[in-house]
Amino acid sequence: MSPAPVALSQATVGDLDPAVATPSYDRSAVTPGVVHLGVGGFHRAHQAMYLDALMNQGEALDWGIVGVGVLAHDKRIVETLNAQDGLYTLVLKHPDGRREPRVIGSIVGMLLAPDDPEAVLARMTDPQTRIVSLTITEGSYLINQSTGEFDAEHPSIQGDLAQGAVPSTAFGYVVEALRRRKDAGTPPFTVMSCDNLPGNGDVARKTMIAFARLKDPGLADWMTEHVAFPNAMVDRITPVTADADKEALAQEFGVQDGWPVVCEPYTQWVLQDEFPLGRPPLEDVGVQVVDDVVPYELMKLRLLNASHQSLCYLGYLSGYRYAHEVCQDPLFVEFLLGYMNEEGRPTLPEVPGVDLDAYCHTLIERFANPQVRDTLARLCAESSDRIPKWLVPVIRDNLASGGQVGRSALVVAAWARYAEGADEQGEPIEVVDHRKEAVMAAAAAQQEDPLAFLRDPSLFGDLAEQERFTAPYLAALKALHESGARATTQATVDALRGA
């Protein structure tokens, strides 16, 4: 009989199977330097992992992370990690089935903001805190897709805009902490977005300062002059942790972990070097620290992220449920490479030091990793935040330059078909989107008006008026209804092959 799994904590980490890598540094010597808002799987597979790697080299012990759960539903992750003394297991899933576990120790504590807002503000205003980092999701920056401006009327922030309000959002906490630091004469921390947005630092700067201006114009002016918001490109496929992942970790390696993280082996972080109060020496663990992140982020957003959208709706409608299933199908591989090479890549600037041919083929290999088991449902979620940021800019650039848009048109049509809420066998599709009602209503209206889905300017701008796009879009939508996703994809590949 196998011994009982060891419940992960600082007291038990030394009892783990030697096959499980553990922190080689003295965690009691680690002091906080980073406050992170939004401690989900991606943060733990990425930023926290890089800092742990530095600490294992004897560096950055003054850059420990205090994680903050901003929302009430973050209570579970806060309680789980605090019960494990901030420790958790990161499991790399290799394509050959091998699992590589590693205990990460860079998180030194977790706070639940709704339970103790002052504790969060105290940590953010502590002079030791030199970076406040964010993974709050793309939609949480509250950018109106049609105007490109901060949505000052969004209901989520109205309470925080009241003078003297106790913060309840990332905006409220960041701006209130900066106000307190300004009043105390403490230099401002750097705000480092790690969200999957083009120009994520620029977006954070724009929205945080716009929020501040609504409360205190003088504070907004001070933030404009003194607060740094570096841009970053982040990349690692990190699916939602399943119960089976916890069970496999316990059975194979004897670790009982309340919330491990699983991810692919590949990881990338390109970071703009703009940190007035200093930063960890991240280049020592493979981070590309550069002056200009834009070429790298455009490469990732328009090739990796847009390709995820290119495979998820068509794959789901064709009967697949996982990304690896789609990317082991030669038809969809040809479609994806066609999108990347003929529609995505022509819109990119030069990307220093990157072989784009190799990058595109590496993406297919990563997507096809059967161990990651990335669900198409995850990739299809929150499409109204993703398509406008990742694919619509590609379409616009190609329309302006005379480039191809046929594959992109099929992807948008597939989203419109998916949003009808039933698959090709009539089984219900659970559409997950913060704009679900509006998106599904537009999809339902397609029976009377085939362009109904495109007529939302907050998502698509004027694409419904662009005949060079609407012609292939309407043809694709009609074919999806009449012939199905696989046959439509095949017809598109055949028509555009060698075009």
Side-chain angles (χ1 to χ4, degrees):
M1 178 180 293
S2 300
V6 175
L8 183 61
S9 71
Q10 187 58 46
T12 63
V13 71
D15 300 329
L16 297 180
D17 187 317
V20 180
T22 57
S24 62
Y25 50 93
D26 178 3
R27 291 188 76 228
S28 68
V30 178
T31 55
V34 178
V35 170
H36 184 82
L37 307 183
V39 182
F42 182 78
H43 167 71
R44 295 193 288 145
H46 199 263
Q47 181 190 347
M49 178 278 300
Y50 280 103
L51 285 169
D52 178 78
L54 273 176
M55 293 172 186
N56 278 318
Q57 294 181 181
E59 303 179 272
L61 296 180
D62 57 340
W63 290 102
I65 300 167
V66 174
V68 175
V70 177
L71 304 175
H73 68 64
D74 293 323
K75 184 172 185 176
R76 181 180 154 223
I77 185 67
V78 171
E79 291 182 343
T80 299
L81 287 183
N82 278 338
Q84 296 178 177
D85 302 312
L87 296 169
Y88 62 92
T89 316
L90 179 65
V91 181
L92 306 190
K93 289 184 156 186
H94 294 272
D96 62 4
R98 183 168 53 91
R99 296 170 184 259
E100 184 181 349
R102 167 180 167 187
V103 174
I104 304 295
S106 54
I107 295 178
V108 296
M110 293 285 296
L111 299 170
L112 185 64
D115 281 2
D116 196 345
E118 280 301 320
V120 175
L121 289 167
R123 174 52 59 194
M124 294 174 76
T125 54
D126 190 311
Q128 277 190 301
T129 298
R130 288 149 287 164
I131 295 173
V132 169
S133 52
L134 311 168
T135 46
I136 57 175
T137 74
E138 299 92 345
S140 295
Y141 290 87
L142 307 185
I143 290 287
N144 183 298
Q145 297 299 331
S146 59
T147 66
E149 299 302 319
F150 178 65
D151 183 1
E153 305 301 319
H154 198 279
S156 68
I157 57 167
Q158 298 313 304
D160 281 11
L161 286 173
Q163 293 302 318
V166 175
S168 63
T169 66
F171 289 99
Y173 278 102
V174 169
V175 170
E176 175 61 16
L178 286 170
R179 183 191 69 77
R180 295 186 183 189
R181 289 177 79 117
K182 172 179 176 287
D183 291 349
T186 304
F189 47 69
T190 294
V191 179
M192 182 175 71
S193 172
C194 294
D195 279 299
N196 197 21
L197 284 164
N200 53 12
D202 296 335
V203 170
R205 175 188 289 111
K206 180 176 188 173
T207 56
M208 292 289 178
I209 291 175
F211 175 90
R213 195 165 297 284
L214 295 170
K215 293 196 71 166
D216 181 347
L219 175 61
D221 291 340
W222 178 83
M223 287 172 60
T224 300
E225 184 175 353
H226 296 290
V227 181
F229 295 83
N231 286 308
M233 184 271 262
V234 296
D235 188 7
R236 180 167 243 180
I237 297 171
T238 309
V240 174
T241 302
D243 288 341
D245 295 314
K246 298 180 190 177
E247 293 163 7
L249 180 62
Q251 291 175 8
E252 186 174 353
F253 296 104
V255 182
Q256 181 182 321
D257 187 333
W259 207 326
V261 183
V262 296
C263 65
E264 64 171 339
Y266 183 93
T267 184
Q268 187 177 19
W269 190 3
V270 183
L271 183 62
Q272 183 181 6
D273 200 357
E274 187 183 358
F275 293 83
L277 296 186
R279 60 170 177 80
L282 291 162
E283 59 270 42
D284 291 353
V285 285
V287 177
Q288 295 164 268
V289 180
V290 300
D291 292 329
D292 184 10
V293 174
V294 170
Y296 301 91
E297 68 186 8
L298 285 176
M299 174 188 75
K300 192 243 179 171
L301 294 166
R302 297 187 177 191
L303 296 181
L304 184 151
N305 295 121
S307 291
H308 264 157
Q309 306 314 114
S310 298
L311 70 88
C312 66
Y313 316 109
L314 290 167
Y316 194 100
L317 293 168
S318 297
Y320 293 126
R321 293 296 178 263
Y322 291 93
H324 70 269
E325 296 172 334
V326 182
C327 289
Q328 291 174 1
D329 184 323
L331 169 61
F332 289 101
V333 170
E334 184 174 359
F335 178 76
L336 288 173
L337 286 173
Y339 162 76
M340 290 187 220
N341 289 321
E342 304 301 332
E343 299 188 25
R345 281 179 61 176
T347 72
L348 296 178
E350 181 183 355
V351 187
V354 175
D355 179 337
L356 288 177
D357 282 329
Y359 181 81
C360 291
H361 283 89
T362 297
L363 289 180
I364 299 294
E365 293 171 6
R366 293 169 61 193
F367 297 165
N369 182 340
Q371 305 306 317
V372 172
R373 297 186 66 78
D374 202 6
T375 66
L376 298 183
R378 183 186 83 88
L379 300 181
C380 290
E382 299 299 345
S383 303
S384 61
D385 278 338
R386 295 174 170 185
I387 290 285
K389 294 181 179 73
W390 302 343
L391 188 62
V392 170
V394 173
I395 296 167
R396 291 192 181 288
D397 283 3
N398 282 323
L399 288 174
S401 68
Q404 295 185 26
V405 296
R407 297 172 187 84
S408 297
L410 173 55
V411 174
V412 177
W415 176 26
R417 170 66 185 83
Y418 179 91
E420 292 173 3
D423 66 16
E424 293 176 4
Q425 286 70 47
E427 296 297 320
I429 293 173
E430 183 182 357
V431 175
V432 176
D433 197 299
H434 68 286
R435 300 179 81 249
K436 176 179 177 177
E437 290 184 6
V439 166
M440 293 191 73
Q446 294 176 131
Q447 292 183 349
E448 302 297 327
D449 173 12
L451 286 176
F453 198 77
L454 284 186
R455 296 194 193 281
D456 185 342
S458 68
L459 297 178
F460 299 109
D462 66 351
L463 284 188
E465 313 302 321
Q466 301 288 329
E467 185 179 358
R468 202 161 75 78
F469 182 76
T470 60
Y473 171 84
L474 289 171
L477 187 62
K478 183 172 185 288
L480 287 168
H481 284 125
E482 295 180 354
S483 305
R486 186 176 186 86
T488 303
T489 303
Q490 184 70 67
T492 301
V493 166
D494 291 344
L496 293 173
R497 187 183 290 127

